[in-house]
Amino acid sequence: MKFYTDRLIMTPGPTEIPLRVKKAMIRETTNPDLDPSFLELYNNVRGKLQKLLNAEKSHIYVMAGEAIMGLEASIANTMKPGDKVIVVANGVFGEGFADIVKAYGGKPLLIAGENWRGGVDVGEVERALEKNRDASILTIVHCDTPSAILNDVRSVAKIARDFGVITIVDAVSTIGGVPVEFDNWGLDILIGGSQKVLNAPPGLTVIALSDDVWERVERVNYTGLYMSFKLWRDMLDVKNVFPYTMPDVLVYALDEALNIILEEGLEQVYSRHLKAREASWRALETLNLEPYPSSLEHSSPTVSAIIVPQSVSERKLRDYIWVKYGVLLAGSWGRLEGKVIRVGHMGLQASRTHLLKAYTALARGLKDMGLEVSVSKVVDAIENAYT
């Protein structure tokens, strides 16, 4: 039996969509190929993303396609068959980069795969690069969402640059919730997505490219079309024409999502996500549940991953909470499937009210399944975090 008339999405992507973003999607549509005003709006979105990513000196493109496309495009445009790629594999998506590398004929060297409960050891990265001086690319995930791990991208990128290796960063689950300084950190390619912290619908990939990486893009000379960085540069930047028809409705949504973030102010936005992480960890302590990351500093401010008690079925718990209490939580993937439950605190989810609803539902679900938990103490723990 349901006891609610609404529902709350507290998954780490796709996320709840703010009313302002929904309203932006019902504006009058146009022909994005021909309407100059749409091109102007699209370029304004690129400018807002430059501010968000601190990428004023770099190239930004918003491509039609879910962010996995951006991960593949980053490899396709920069790697030749036989190239060696250092893959920071301390998570599901980190490890997944190796599959893309192999699909394009590269040779992935996986590192840091033994410890998924902490950020990558920067010393291990340096040793791998020292030992494999013929490597040309390093891939890393900023926040590996299935485990909620946060990697020190800035330190890793500095080491990679010292070895003359380009750095490709999956920042799909951090942009808009964790500081990113694309230019200052010396990143070469960064991939973002619309459906995570930005709170827009899925379907758009954000790509940031440094000036330096273009030389490699030219040498690799990827011959595909849809994912070609050169095609985007030559068509959009030179001719002011899109390589293919853009989904204008999704761009309107992304534009409004960025407006919300920039109006609040980046410093406030990042502080709010840090507070959400703190409140989540306090709630878990009260519930006697163990976070999957080994420490708070290795846990992303945008998502919490929780080890499920052995006496509880993770899938049944999530389904029960969704049906009875109207709160949608997430499981995990790969080696963590069935072992971890996740609460997203991305964008508008990173708020006191959303976390109170999410963790109250989690506590009630556990209590209904026979565990001794105090719902009131969970509420107090979150409230105290915001006091």
Side-chain angles (χ1 to χ4, degrees):
M1 179 183 295
K2 292 184 178 180
F3 296 96
Y4 60 90
T5 57
D6 57 354
R7 88 288 184 273
L8 184 68
I9 306 298
M10 289 298 290
T11 57
T15 56
E16 194 81 27
I17 298 175
L19 179 60
R20 280 179 56 178
V21 174
K22 292 177 182 177
K23 291 172 67 176
M25 295 174 66
I26 60 172
R27 64 181 287 180
E28 185 175 5
T29 58
T30 187
N31 184 327
D33 295 322
L34 301 176
D35 188 342
S37 65
F38 179 78
L39 177 61
E40 181 181 5
L41 181 142
Y42 178 92
N43 284 329
N44 286 337
V45 168
R46 295 168 77 188
K48 293 169 187 176
L49 286 166
Q50 283 182 314
K51 293 178 182 178
L52 179 65
L53 301 175
N54 290 285
E56 303 286 352
K57 302 176 183 177
S58 303
H59 304 255
I60 300 282
Y61 302 103
V62 178
M63 303 170 69
E66 203 273 340
I68 288 291
M69 183 194 70
L71 306 184
E72 182 170 343
S74 67
I75 296 296
N77 282 271
T78 60
M79 191 200 74
K80 289 184 176 181
D83 282 353
K84 183 181 287 187
V85 179
I86 305 293
V87 176
V88 177
N90 64 331
V92 171
F93 289 111
E95 193 174 72
F97 256 120
D99 295 329
I100 302 174
V101 170
K102 287 186 286 187
Y104 283 85
K107 298 177 180 178
L109 174 64
L110 280 69
I111 65 170
E114 298 301 318
N115 179 24
W116 278 25
R117 299 191 68 180
V120 63
D121 178 358
V122 177
E124 184 177 356
V125 175
E126 187 169 16
R127 290 189 294 272
L129 289 167
E130 180 66 45
K131 188 177 180 180
N132 298 274
R133 287 185 170 267
D134 55 339
S136 55
I137 299 170
L138 180 142
T139 66
I140 186 170
V141 178
H142 197 187
C143 162
D144 210 297
T145 332
S147 56
I149 290 299
L150 187 71
N151 281 314
D152 183 358
V153 166
R154 180 179 187 176
S155 297
V156 169
K158 182 181 184 304
I159 293 170
R161 185 162 287 270
D162 290 343
F163 280 88
V165 172
I166 71 168
T167 304
I168 297 175
V169 179
D170 171 351
V172 174
S173 296
T174 53
I175 61 169
V178 180
V180 173
E181 297 190 22
F182 186 85
D183 291 338
N184 293 337
W185 293 355
L187 308 183
D188 292 292
I189 300 179
L190 179 142
I191 305 99
S194 54
Q195 79 275 21
K196 298 280 189 175
V197 190
L198 300 180
N199 296 150
L204 295 177
T205 290
V206 174
I207 295 285
L209 302 167
S210 70
D211 282 338
D212 294 341
V213 83
W214 284 106
E215 187 272 335
R216 182 165 185 84
V217 170
E218 293 287 356
R219 280 195 289 113
V220 169
N221 194 30
Y222 170 62
T223 56
L225 292 175
Y226 196 84
M227 298 188 299
S228 172
F229 293 160
K230 288 200 301 178
L231 183 64
W232 273 87
R233 179 196 61 190
D234 296 345
M235 293 286 288
L236 185 60
D237 294 344
V238 177
K239 299 180 180 179
N240 286 322
V241 175
F242 292 105
Y244 48 77
T245 301
M246 290 297 296
D248 58 331
V249 172
L250 293 181
V251 177
Y252 300 150
L254 178 59
D255 181 48
E256 189 62 19
L258 291 168
N259 288 340
I260 292 171
I261 292 172
L262 295 174
E263 286 169 14
E264 182 178 350
L266 293 181
E267 184 176 346
Q268 165 62 25
V269 167
Y270 298 144
S271 295
R272 179 164 53 80
H273 282 82
L274 288 173
K275 181 61 71 174
R277 178 179 66 178
E278 178 192 346
S280 292
W281 276 57
R282 288 195 185 192
L284 295 181
E285 183 179 7
T286 302
L287 287 167
N288 292 317
L289 294 177
E290 183 181 2
Y292 185 79
S294 59
S295 66
L296 187 68
E297 66 177 358
H298 291 302
S299 183
S300 176
T302 58
V303 56
S304 290
I306 307 145
I307 298 175
V308 178
Q310 292 185 350
S311 61
V312 175
S313 164
E314 170 267 325
R315 181 58 185 267
K316 288 182 179 179
L317 175 62
R318 287 191 294 111
D319 288 348
Y320 180 84
I321 292 170
W322 176 233
V323 171
K324 185 168 184 181
Y325 298 114
V327 176
L328 188 61
L329 305 179
S332 194
W333 309 100
R335 69 175 78 167
L336 300 182
E337 185 175 358
K339 301 177 182 178
V340 165
I341 195 167
R342 295 177 296 154
V343 176
H345 27 91
M346 297 178 164
L348 67 80
Q349 299 170 327
S351 74
R352 166 186 165 276
T353 302
H354 282 70
L355 291 175
L356 282 169
K357 291 180 179 180
Y359 282 105
T360 297
L362 177 59
R364 290 190 179 279
L366 290 168
K367 188 173 183 178
D368 292 347
M369 290 189 171
L371 276 70
E372 293 186 10
V373 299
S374 170
V375 178
S376 62
K377 288 183 179 179
V378 172
V379 172
D380 286 344
I382 294 174
E383 292 284 19
N384 290 337
Y386 283 94
T387 300

